[in-house]
Amino acid sequence: DAGVTQSPTHLIKTRGQQVTLRCSPKSGHDTVSWYQQALGQGPQFIFQYYEEEERQRGNFPDRFSGHQFPNYSSELNVNALLLGDSALYLCASSPADRDKVTQYFGPGTRLTVL
Amino acid sequence: AQRVTQPEKLLSVFKGAPVELKCNYSYSGSPELFWYVQYSRQRLQLLLRHISRESIKGFTADLNKGETSFHLKKPFAQEEDSAMYYCALLTGGGNKLTFGTGTQLKVEL
């Protein structure tokens, strides 16, 4: 099991563009969470997907949206990119079992907005 | 609102010395706390979870509800412990992790 995988590894975009990041969860996991990690900061929760629906959302604008597919993989979309969106975007997966809510993280996608 | 505070950005200790990485939290509910570690060029990985009450790589952490703390401790630091450590609080019905800003641990020879 490769664990949580993310693509691409790095991405460079310009202001105003749109970006899509992808995540495949760890085998046996059906819940995917997305986090933004700015330089020098801890990860900040964007939202979580379960059963193809957004289950909870952090304090991020509507420019940030997501999707979960039937195979549990997920996408994070960011529209109208701003310079401040430059960060490492982390995906984490976990099983639905409430007793096993540990989140396992992927390597991240480094987004640079110029 | 929930918050996690890690007051030290950098902690430097000598090999063999005791280590204590501080973590304080603010949360009105029943806290569920984690320590995650990120070694150089590696992904964020779980170190330990307070419910498990395990000792991983010689590290332990005790939840002190009175002091709202979850400090990470190790009696004898090793060079391979050098890494970035994040304390995290699980909230939102088990859906959301709130992280501290992290502490960079540097173990010197």
Side-chain angles (χ1 to χ4, degrees):
Chain A
D1 179 19
V4 180
T5 60
Q6 292 186 243
S7 65
T9 306
H10 296 87
L11 206 49
I12 299 176
K13 292 285 187 179
T14 56
R15 280 179 298 174
Q17 285 190 311
Q18 178 264 343
V19 69
T20 297
L21 311 181
R22 295 177 177 82
C23 170
S24 290
K26 186 176 166 65
S27 178
H29 289 184
D30 55 10
T31 302
V32 173
S33 304
W34 286 92
Y35 292 82
Q36 181 195 66
Q37 187 174 19
L39 204 60
Q41 300 295 317
Q44 280 200 290
F45 178 78
I46 302 175
F47 41 53
Q48 184 180 84
Y49 276 83
Y50 171 66
E51 291 189 340
E52 302 180 49
E53 294 204 355
E54 184 183 289
R55 181 154 73 172
Q56 187 158 0
R57 188 179 185 90
N59 189 24
F60 279 80
D62 292 344
R63 299 187 297 108
F64 290 78
S65 63
H67 189 76
Q68 186 178 34
F69 299 93
N71 67 353
Y72 309 122
S73 68
S74 177
E75 289 181 349
L76 164 66
N77 300 290
V78 187
N79 294 322
L81 285 167
L82 303 173
L83 296 179
D85 295 332
S86 294
L88 181 68
Y89 287 85
L90 298 170
C91 169
S93 73
S94 53
D97 186 342
R98 179 61 182 90
D99 291 333
K100 300 177 181 177
V101 291
T102 298
Q103 295 187 14
Y104 293 84
F105 285 82
T109 294
R110 173 73 62 185
L111 173 65
T112 302
V113 182
L114 302 176
Chain B
Q2 60 273 10
R3 185 165 60 219
V4 175
T5 303
Q6 293 180 253
E8 303 138 328
K9 287 186 78 74
L10 173 66
L11 183 64
S12 187
V13 301
F14 286 105
K15 181 181 174 180
V19 174
E20 183 179 49
L21 300 174
K22 290 184 168 48
C23 171
N24 288 89
Y25 67 91
S26 172
Y27 183 51
S28 57
S30 182
E32 199 163 339
L33 286 143
F34 300 78
W35 277 98
Y36 279 84
V37 61
Q38 188 166 31
Y39 300 102
S40 181
R41 294 189 177 84
Q42 293 188 27
R43 67 182 65 191
L44 202 58
Q45 56 186 279
L46 177 69
L47 181 61
L48 55 81
R49 178 181 176 188
H50 94 268
I51 281 182
S52 303
R53 301 189 68 81
E54 294 176 294
S55 173
I56 306 292
K57 299 184 179 183
F59 284 97
T60 59
D62 289 317
L63 176 61
N64 185 324
K65 291 186 179 180
E67 295 183 359
T68 60
S69 68
F70 188 56
H71 303 327
L72 183 68
K73 299 178 183 179
K74 184 170 183 176
F76 307 104
Q78 301 299 313
E79 193 180 356
E80 56 266 28
D81 296 329
S82 294
M84 191 72 171
Y85 291 80
Y86 292 96
C87 182
L89 170 67
L90 189 69
T91 61
N95 302 329
K96 169 184 174 180
L97 280 172
T98 298
F99 284 85
T101 50
T103 297
Q104 180 73 48
L105 175 64
K106 184 177 179 182
V107 180
E108 301 185 72
L109 300 176

